[in-house]
Each structure stands twice: as C-alpha cells, then as structure tokens.
Amino acid sequence: MDTILFLVIVGFIHISFYFFNTIFVSCMHLPYLVLLENIGIDIQFLRIKWFTTAFNRSLMKWGLNRSKFWAAWFNTGMIVTLLLLPISIILLLKMTFEAFMKENSVDPNEIGSGETIEIMIPGVTIPFSEMGYYIIALLLSSSVHEFGHAMAAVKEDVRFLGTGMIIFFILPVAYVNICDSGLSMLGHKSRLRILCAGIWHNVILTGLAMMIAGLITILLKPFFIQNTGNSGLLGPVGLSNGDVVHKINDCSVHDSTSWRYCIQQAIQFSTPGYCVNDNIVRKSDKSSFLQNDANDMHHCCDKHYKNNGHLCFEHLGIIDMQAPHSSSVNFCLPIRAIISSSHSYCQSNDHCSMASDYCVKPTVTNSTKVVQIQRYGGKDVIFHGNPLEIYYTIELSDWVPRYSFFSPQLPEALILLCKYVALFSSGIAIVNVIPCFFFDGQHIISILIDQRLKNAVKEQSIRSVIAFVVMTVFSILLIGNVFIILLNKL
C-alpha cells in the first residue's frame, strides 16, 4: 500500500469516528456518554484516548512487594538519569553547532544529508513496509517508560489513578495518571526517583533489546539453521517460500552477503557457456535460418520454439565439418535440458574436459543473462532476463526453519523489532531528560536548580525564573534542530 493512501485511510477513519461520535453525543446524550465513560474512551479530532483502572491493583501489588529491591532499583535509576542529563545536553548542543555550520555551508549537495537527529526523533525516515515495527516499538517504549513512573509512584506512596493510551493520528503513546498534589508534597529525592524512573526503564529496555538482538543466533539455534541462503518467491516454475539456495551459476551462496555477491557477479560478467555432449546438442537442435537483429544478435529459433523454452546458443570452439548439422556455429536448444545435462561451465571448448563436448553459450544481450539458481530438494531455477530482477523480487533469509510451522522471516523480524525498540527507547530516554517544556527534564531541572541554588539564591521565585530561562533556551534549541532537519528532508 502506498504511504499517502495509508495516511488518507487512517485520516478517514479518524474523521469517521469523530463525526459519528459528535452525532451520538447529540442524539443519545446520556446513554452514549455513560457508555464512553465505562469503556474509558474519549474521541477527539484525529485523537483517540483510552483510560482504565484495570491494572491499578496489579501495579500496586508489584510496587509494594520487595520494597528493598525497588528502593535500590529506583535509586540506581535516579543516578543513571542524572548522569544522562549532561550527555543529552552535549548532544543537543553538538547538533545545534553542526546544524549552524551546515546552514553556513554553500555546498548544495550536503542539504538533507544530516541524520544526527534520527536517534532523538524516532521515525523521521523509515520504510513504509516497516511501519508495523515502528508502531509496536514506539508503543512498547512508551509503555515501559510510563510503567517506570507508575511503579516508582506506588513505591513512594503517591496515589496512582490509572493507565491509558492516546493515539495521535497513527502514533500510539502510553501514559499514566498520578496524583499531582501527592507528588508535590514529596521531598526532592522522592520526586526525582519518580521522574527519573521512566527514563531509567527506557535505558534498561534499550540494553535488553540490544542484548536480545546480539543473542538471537544462540536463542533460535534449536529452531533454525543459519547461513544457508533461504529465499522466497512465489511461482510454479520459480523459487518457493522456504527454498534453500546454495548456488547461482558457479558462485556458492552461504548467506545474504554471498547472495548479493553472486548476483553482482551475474550482472557484471557475461552468461557462461555450458559443456554438453555433442550428441545431445545435435539431437536437441531445432535451429532454422540465422537472422541478425539491429543489435547484431543472432536468432536461430523460430517463435514456436522460443515460446517452448528454446534459446539460440553459439558454439565456442572448432566445428567438425564432417559431422552432420555441424556447418553452423549456432543451435536452437532447450535451455533447461542443456543446462541440466551440462558437465561444467566454460568460455571455450578448451575448458571442457571431455573431447566429445561442445561449449555452447546462449546468445543474449549484455543486460540479459541466463542465470542458473540451484537449490536443495528441488529442480534448478533457470532465469532468463536482467539479474537485477532476481535481487529485487526475491526475499532472502539467512535462516531456515527446522520445523515447518516456523516462518523463515521470524528471526529477521525479531532482530528488526529489537533494533527499533533499542532506537526508540534510547531516543525517548535522551529526549525526555533534556530540560525542555513538557518533558521529564522540565521537572528534573527545576528540582535540581531549586535544591542546588537554595543557599546561593534565597528567593524561590528567582530560582524558578532561572529554571524557566534554562528550559526556554533548551526548548528553542530542540525545536530549532527539529525544524532544520524537517526542512532539509523536504
């Protein structure tokens, strides 16, 4: 599905929900509002909000158990988050400096090439085919972030009101509702532990995702065989889903890297010749009069034989003029039969080990090749065309399932999901700790300034102004970076 079409469909669904919600509120005012309240749904324009208290008891039970463990856990999270704060500030300043230098550069080729903001704004550029991974990773990362706040609030005995999720157009974001008055009554360290808990959990999730991605080979070894050239392409005479490719022409395939190398070899070099017994060549020859086209290509097969899998072959050697049918150096031969009966590849008759062999080579254009794809447990696939089509139409996997109910795409899907989770979770952690408005860093920096400047600056209002100025400066820097990156991508 096209990206624009997908976004149009999502927008239409949102508008439909909003339209019918408006009608139902007007026509069935009280019953409909009671239903929405019981479900916890709030529908607004291009936004759907869901809230529930169903998880409150479980979260309170987890948070109150093992209090010593949670105390050490959230204290560690506070320390890690405070160490991450200067790192995120340095990254933001570095991006600002690089963006400023790029704006002053006159080289037009560099416009739009910057990718430094990608980790801080997940999904600025992602393939549409990976949108599902994007949404799952973003929802998981935000859920883990809010789960950290909720657990820390329960540990600090702050009233926990509930959990929910907001869908902004296509972006799902989890959230928790904590009593603000209870939070404001806590001491500095207790508030910091709650505020830092979400970032701390994102750091942990990032580490877990990276660890799982690195150990996926070991974890899935009982269920998959790796580095065997597994592919998928539907077609009655082509490759099938789950086929194991081991050779392309004379190039061995072991994994996705060697697959790409073999495709490159097939593109760069001409189609090889085939050593075939001379009796097979003579018996299979269906050649008619020889024609040359505008490109000086030989055509010795009529339309009937072309449609039945024949191709004009050129003999790469000296013909025995005493033998029948040997006066021509071109033969109309069935491609599959010739390749199947071939002893080896060749570029001339000298490369054939048997004296009775002919070295015959398909007469094709420079961009058109004959490619032999060998697979385990099935007939070879003979491809006639541009090898680039093989690269773009065949989905390759380095994994072969040991059991039929496993998909060969499962390991790559898990690795890709782990990479997205690590990217988005780290991005959420870095962004949230920056001292900007509406982020966790806003409250963290306010507490730090109020606590550290208490002796130097006696007036709390002045300390609040200092915190406001700091947050304003970094908010402007972040918004400016986002604006520049988005402008360059247009």
Side-chain angles (χ1 to χ4, degrees), residues 290-299 306 364-366:
L290 184 66
Q291 291 181 325
N292 290 357
D293 60 15
N295 297 320
D296 201 30
M297 289 299 303
H298 301 307
H299 296 281
K306 281 184 179 180
V364 291
T365 62
N366 290 332

Side-chain angles (χ1 to χ4, degrees), residues 453-464:
L453 298 182
K454 185 178 292 185
N455 295 328
V457 181
K458 300 297 183 181
E459 294 292 334
Q460 185 178 4
S461 59
I462 298 178
R463 297 197 297 270
S464 298

